[in-house]
Amino acid sequence: MKKLLLLTAALLFNASIYAQSLNNPGSNHGNKFEQLGTMLSDPNYYRSASGAPGPAYWQQRADYEINAELDEKNLRLNGSETITYYNNSPDPLSYLWVQLDENQNKATSDNKLTQTSKIKEKMTLDDFSDIIGRNDDLGVKIIKITDEKGTPLPYVINNTMLRIDLPVVLKPKEKYKLKITWNYNISDRKIVHGRGGYEYFPQDDNYLFTITQWFPRLAVYSDFQGWQNKQFEGRGEFALVFGNYKVNMTVPADHVVGATGECQNYPQVLSATSLKRWNEAQTAKAPLEIINLSEAKSAITKKATGKKTWTYVAENVRDFAWVSSRRLVWDAMATYIDGKKTMAMSYYGPEAYPIYSRYSTKVVAHTLKSYSKHTIPYPYPVAISVEASNAMEYPMICFNHGRAEKDGSYTESLKYGVISVIIHEVGHNFFPMIVNSDERQWTWMDEGLNTFCQFMAEQEWDNNYPSQRGPAHKIVDYMKMPKDQLEPIMTNSENIVNFGPNAYAKPATALNILRETIMGRELFDYSFKEYATRWAFKHPTPADLFRTMEDASAVDLDWFWRGWFFSTDPVDISLNDVRYYRMNSMKQAIENAESKKTYDKDNKYLSRERNKAEGIKFAIEQDTSLLDFYNKFDRFEVSKTADEQFQSYYNSLGAEEKKIYESKKNFYELEFSNLGGLVMPLIIEWTFKDGSKETDKIPAYVWRKNENKITKVFAKDKEVVSVQLDPSRETADIDESNNSWPRKSQSTRFELFKEQQMPATNPMQQSKKQN
């Protein structure tokens, strides 16, 4: 691979760019295995050709001191913040860009206006609201922006982005301090479907507040794209600057707050009982409830009139989020990663108690251990899972779903859904919270890498875990969709049609195939860990991942990135034909007998048999003068000198030739076609006449000289009765019907259908009734 590294944000790769990059258009070779070349830009002092940060690599820093007050009665959040911005770049900056993600909830925001809609046969309230609009007064209201001395700073708001114009140029290696005062009305997350907001519980007249993407936050300024000031439209999440945080959150006195970082004043905000339990949890080997279910249910029945301020600090994080409610159970336990203690914790309401009390915190701990093994040791002191009937991640805290039935039962699918979502959201601490990729630009670097690690963690939880993303065969239905419904993985977040399969499942599957089938676990694991180590707490691009995986493994993977990440081609390799050959024994008795079988078979046909059965008097029978030598000649007779001829032949062979002759090998010529376009290794399972099996694995490079059709000959000691391509379904081949010889019928099932009312109980409920 040529060492061309930097991937610019301007290159939003799509199928047309991929097609234009063909090295040898119109040919059957010289395309899929060519280097990525000009699809990536040159290395420089900031990003090296190996995929590692360069000697002059830099990144900005932003530290925050924030005061926030939650007004539960008016559903409003009031805040003020002091930001210290460090210009570590070589560039002078005359303005700063700040993200105002809450503005996506405004009725006039671009993401609302650009959403397509249509009339459906059955229209929901949400459908009407999306069309008519809502009267909610949402979005950030900037009260004032000043420098540290209180002098107002000019600013411009463009949808979800805020530009602050500096009074003097911020030179390299200088820092600047500014203050922003703001507020916004908190949205109903169940209606607006935002990342954060509130959920109202009418049965007890209480709220659960998930405060996320909530404060004005500095955008990333980087070496490869300058300001990352792309608008927030709800799907592509965010790219942010690392820094240190101190956050004071003033909430109703009976609320419990969980947040990014470590609380600095538990003695002031917790009861004596809860504080004692917290201290005990520091050495607990199982989740210990700091606030138990009974206490949470009691808090729901009454509301405090006073307020408390919770203070949290977090170091070297790229964001800050928190949860606040009086209706929360809170448990915690200590877990150790490379000897360093991390508090694994969960917050959840009574509805989630049957599932979360059993699984949540233990799944948090398991996730940290699994991801740390495959990437870097988890560096933070806390990892939190919050049940909030949604799924979203932030440093050290994530929000998940999973509520049981009123009787405490739950389905198997819900159980595994909860475990999976907790693994996934906690796993985001690694991608992109630590390995800080730009998920607004490249969703797959966030979701895809994390989903891949999630798959490994699921399989390490339970060998029979029903993972839905990662196994190769589970991406087939997506990859065989019509091309106009597909886009390359290397596509901007907002341009993706099938978001889950494209940004989560396909890259996760690709990486799993890379690990299990292309590179092997040893090479892959070392290289992937090297990537995480190199880019922890930094801003990598896709090219940095591509280059590092090759640099650390000595495996040329350009063909793989080209096919899986830059194209929409599926895998469909057909085993067209199998031809069987045996070496000529040069013994007349053996060869003539085989020739006679072929001759007799070739001369046996229906007309001949029926003519004989009808008793036809043939011409040579009516006139015997027509008979000559060849009518009586035995063309397969073994000559008297046959043994001498063979011995003469055998004596003429050299030692190595005699060894080959004596091997008695069976030769099989296999013909393959690449129908899908995506080149992959050939994994061939042979079944022999004696029932035994053997597998050959041929690297993808076998397609180099002809990317469309190839033949390959195999020598086997035993006679083969069947051949199966991709027997373990590890290449994501979209058509298994052409993978076998002889061909196998593809079976499925159907049922005699009668409409009926399915029972409303789940298996857990049914079991309780039976017992």
Side-chain angles (χ1 to χ4, degrees):
M1 174 187 282
K2 295 177 182 176
K3 302 301 183 179
L4 302 175
L5 181 60
L6 190 61
L7 192 58
T8 65
L11 287 176
L12 304 184
F13 294 101
N14 54 42
S16 63
I17 291 178
Y18 169 71
Q20 294 165 13
S21 70
L22 294 179
N23 186 66
N24 193 15
S27 175
N28 67 357
H29 67 284
N31 292 307
K32 299 181 186 302
F33 289 94
E34 289 305 306
Q35 303 300 288
L36 291 177
T38 55
M39 296 174 78
L40 306 180
S41 55
D42 292 340
N44 51 46
Y45 282 112
Y46 309 130
R47 290 167 193 269
S48 72
S50 68
Y57 175 83
W58 56 267
Q59 64 187 40
Q60 309 292 64
R61 171 182 161 189
D63 293 343
Y64 296 83
E65 293 185 16
I66 306 175
N67 294 306
E69 183 169 355
L70 177 61
D71 183 345
E72 185 177 33
K73 180 180 178 181
N74 296 303
L75 298 175
R76 178 176 297 172
L77 189 66
N78 300 297
S80 63
E81 61 192 85
T82 299
I83 307 172
T84 305
Y85 186 73
Y86 298 80
N87 184 13
N88 297 322
S89 80
D91 307 325
L93 302 176
S94 57
Y95 48 79
L96 307 177
W97 279 104
V98 176
Q99 297 183 8
L100 300 179
D101 286 2
E102 269 296 318
N103 279 359
Q104 70 140 342
N105 293 325
K106 296 174 69 173
T108 57
S109 68
D110 285 353
N111 74 298
K112 295 287 192 298
L113 299 175
T114 57
Q115 294 300 315
T116 58
S117 56
K118 64 180 180 179
I119 297 296
K120 298 182 290 188
E121 185 177 344
K122 295 181 179 180
M123 297 286 288
T124 66
L125 178 60
D126 276 356
D127 293 329
F128 283 113
S129 297
D130 289 341
I131 296 170
I132 300 171
R134 297 181 174 88
N135 295 322
D136 302 328
D137 181 17
L138 300 178
V140 179
K141 296 176 177 62
I142 300 295
I143 308 303
K144 61 179 178 179
I145 301 178
T146 71
D147 63 14
E148 62 179 322
K149 296 179 180 178
T151 303
L153 296 174
Y155 63 89
V156 173
I157 297 176
N158 176 15
N159 199 11
T160 62
M161 297 301 301
L162 164 69
R163 191 190 72 227
I164 301 175
D165 298 327
L166 302 177
V168 294
V169 169
L170 181 61
K171 297 177 181 178
K173 306 307 178 185
E174 290 185 346
K175 64 181 179 179
Y176 188 78
K177 186 172 288 190
L178 65 146
K179 298 182 178 183
I180 306 177
T181 304
W182 48 267
N183 65 51
Y184 66 83
N185 294 324
I186 304 171
S187 63
D188 184 334
R189 182 168 45 79
K190 306 292 283 188
I191 294 177
V192 175
H193 306 297
R195 299 288 178 173
Y198 68 80
E199 179 180 357
Y200 178 61
F201 295 83
Q203 66 269 27
D204 52 63
D205 188 31
N206 274 291
Y207 295 91
L208 172 69
F209 294 93
T210 53
I211 310 300
T212 67
Q213 296 172 233
W214 55 287
F215 61 97
R217 307 173 298 173
L218 258 298
V220 169
Y221 184 80
S222 68
D223 62 277
F224 64 89
Q225 67 179 345
W227 284 108
Q228 164 46 299
N229 53 11
K230 289 179 172 56
Q231 297 290 343
F232 178 53
E233 297 186 25
R235 177 179 279 178
E237 290 168 1
F238 47 84
L240 293 169
V241 185
F242 283 107
N244 300 326
Y245 286 73
K246 180 179 181 181
V247 183
N248 301 307
M249 293 152 285
T250 301
V251 301
D254 54 355
H255 273 216
V256 178
V257 172
T260 297
E262 294 181 288
C263 184
Q264 303 299 292
N265 62 336
Y266 277 147
Q268 287 73 48
V269 295
L270 294 181
S271 68
T273 301
S274 293
L275 183 60
K276 180 175 180 294
R277 293 171 183 163
W278 167 251
N279 290 328
E280 292 171 350
Q282 303 303 304
T283 55
K285 292 182 172 57
L288 190 154
E289 292 181 357
I290 316 304
I291 296 176
N292 61 34
L293 181 60
S294 175
E295 291 162 341
K297 287 183 175 180
S298 176
I300 289 172
T301 63
K302 51 185 181 295
K303 297 179 180 178
T305 56
K307 295 183 177 182
K308 286 183 180 177
T309 298
W310 298 62
T311 300
Y312 275 75
V313 298
E315 294 182 358
N316 206 16
V317 294
R318 72 172 205 165
D319 199 5
F320 190 101
W322 49 294
V323 60
S324 183
S325 181
R326 63 178 55 84
R327 58 186 329 279
L328 291 175
V329 176
W330 169 23
D331 70 36
M333 63 178 277
T335 187
Y336 291 86
I337 309 295
D338 283 7
K340 181 181 177 181
K341 184 175 75 172
T342 293
M343 292 304 296
M345 302 195 288
S346 298
Y347 297 79
Y348 43 92
E351 303 82 5
Y353 188 86
I355 305 176
Y356 271 67
S357 63
R358 177 187 292 269
Y359 291 113
S360 182
T361 296
K362 290 183 178 180
V363 174
V364 172
H366 169 77
T367 303
L368 299 182
K369 292 175 182 177
S370 176
Y371 276 63
S372 295
K373 179 175 70 174
H374 294 293
T375 60
I376 64 167
Y378 184 71
Y380 293 130
V382 171
I384 297 171
S385 165
V386 180
E387 197 290 313
S389 192
N390 71 340
M392 191 56 199
E393 73 283 350
Y394 302 91
M396 299 186 233
I397 187 170
C398 63
F399 303 93
N400 311 301
H401 61 72
R403 295 173 183 175
E405 301 292 339
K406 290 183 178 179
D407 64 357
S409 68
Y410 47 86
T411 63
E412 183 180 30
S413 62
L414 178 59
K415 165 192 166 180
Y416 286 114
V418 168
I419 295 172
S420 288
V421 74
I422 294 173
I423 291 174
H424 184 87
E425 305 304 341
V426 171
H428 271 306
N429 277 289
F430 296 83
F431 303 101
M433 300 302 160
I434 295 171
V435 182
N436 190 15
S437 55
D438 178 358
E439 52 191 321
R440 189 160 294 177
Q441 175 69 12
W442 300 296
T443 295
W444 70 268
M445 289 198 75
D446 159 28
E447 301 295 356
L449 269 64
N450 183 45
T451 301
F452 164 65
C453 291
Q454 172 194 340
F455 170 67
M456 291 192 289
E458 288 173 348
Q459 295 304 303
E460 291 170 3
W461 175 271
D462 180 350
N463 190 236
N464 296 314
Y465 198 96
S467 297
Q468 297 304 307
R469 289 170 171 167
H473 68 278
K474 290 184 180 289
I475 198 63
V476 163
D477 286 343
Y478 171 67
M479 293 186 71
K480 67 182 179 183
M481 290 176 68
K483 291 277 186 157
D484 63 358
Q485 298 179 41
L486 300 173
E487 56 280 308
I489 290 174
M490 289 293 292
T491 298
N492 180 269
S493 304
E494 306 301 335
N495 301 335
I496 298 171
V497 175
N498 292 286
F499 196 67
N502 177 278
Y504 292 68
K506 187 179 178 183
T509 303
L511 291 171
N512 188 42
I513 290 173
L514 199 59
R515 182 177 190 244
E516 301 287 10
T517 303
I518 307 300
M519 299 176 69
R521 289 191 174 191
E522 183 178 3
L523 283 175
F524 179 93
D525 288 352
Y526 180 88
S527 304
F528 193 68
K529 198 175 185 71
E530 179 69 13
Y531 168 71
T533 301
R534 285 177 172 183
W535 290 98
F537 302 104
K538 296 181 178 68
H539 305 295
T541 68
D544 299 318
L545 170 65
F546 299 158
R547 304 307 176 179
T548 296
M549 294 301 293
E550 297 193 21
D551 183 68
S553 67
V555 180
D556 183 356
L557 295 171
D558 275 33
W559 66 271
F560 187 84
W561 309 127
R562 182 185 289 274
W564 276 91
F565 287 76
F566 290 86
S567 87
T568 58
D569 288 343
V571 180
D572 183 6
I573 297 174
S574 170
L575 174 57
N576 298 336
D577 195 14
V578 177
R579 290 179 284 274
Y580 174 46
Y581 297 90
R582 288 289 301 271
M583 187 185 301
N584 193 316
S585 69
M586 301 303 288
K587 294 181 178 180
Q588 279 191 24
I590 295 174
E591 297 305 321
N592 287 6
E594 289 296 321
S595 297
K596 186 176 187 306
K597 290 179 184 177
T598 302
Y599 180 86
D600 290 344
K601 182 179 179 181
D602 188 55
N603 285 282
K604 184 178 181 180
Y605 40 86
L606 185 61
S607 296
R608 171 178 286 181
E609 297 299 319
R610 287 181 174 175
N611 287 342
K612 184 178 180 181
E614 287 182 10
I616 292 176
K617 195 72 171 177
F618 301 104
I620 62 171
E621 293 175 338
Q622 297 179 47
D623 182 357
T624 58
S625 68
L626 297 174
L627 298 172
D628 70 354
F629 170 81
Y630 291 104
N631 292 100
K632 302 174 184 178
F633 168 66
D634 182 0
R635 70 187 69 243
F636 301 110
E637 181 182 7
V638 178
S639 69
K640 295 179 181 179
T641 61
D643 290 342
E644 294 177 12
Q645 292 173 359
F646 169 75
Q647 198 60 47
S648 175
Y649 161 78
Y650 187 79
N651 291 339
S652 71
L653 299 177
E656 290 300 315
E657 291 171 324
K658 287 181 179 177
K659 188 181 297 183
I660 293 174
Y661 177 86
E662 297 292 349
S663 68
K664 311 298 183 188
K665 294 284 186 182
N666 300 279
F667 295 89
Y668 296 89
E669 181 183 270
L670 276 58
E671 178 185 281
F672 303 92
S673 288
N674 179 11
L675 303 180
L678 185 50
V679 292
M680 287 293 282
L682 301 175
I683 303 161
I684 305 162
E685 181 185 77
W686 308 85
T687 301
F688 300 106
K689 202 169 186 178
D690 63 4
S692 62
K693 294 178 182 290
E694 180 179 283
T695 300
D696 286 321
K697 180 178 176 182
I698 311 302
Y701 306 112
V702 71
W703 297 97
R704 268 182 163 158
K705 300 298 176 61
N706 189 326
E707 297 161 0
N708 302 323
K709 182 178 288 188
I710 57 172
T711 61
K712 189 168 181 63
V713 178
F714 299 83
K716 299 298 176 185
D717 293 323
K718 294 182 284 188
E719 190 172 341
V720 173
V721 294
S722 66
V723 182
Q724 179 69 44
L725 186 63
D726 192 17
S728 298
R729 308 172 81 191
E730 59 185 286
T731 67
D733 195 309
I734 66 170
D735 184 3
E736 295 181 66
S737 68
N738 57 24
N739 285 7
S740 58
W741 174 84
R743 288 285 189 253
K744 298 177 182 177
S745 61
Q746 300 294 303
S747 64
T748 185
R749 298 173 70 87
F750 65 90
E751 65 179 40
L752 178 62
F753 175 74
K754 181 178 180 181
E755 189 171 352
Q756 57 183 327
Q757 187 69 36
M758 297 300 293
T761 57
N762 60 53
M764 188 179 286
Q765 290 171 328
Q766 294 171 14
S767 176
K768 288 181 179 179
K769 289 180 179 180
Q770 292 170 1
N771 295 332

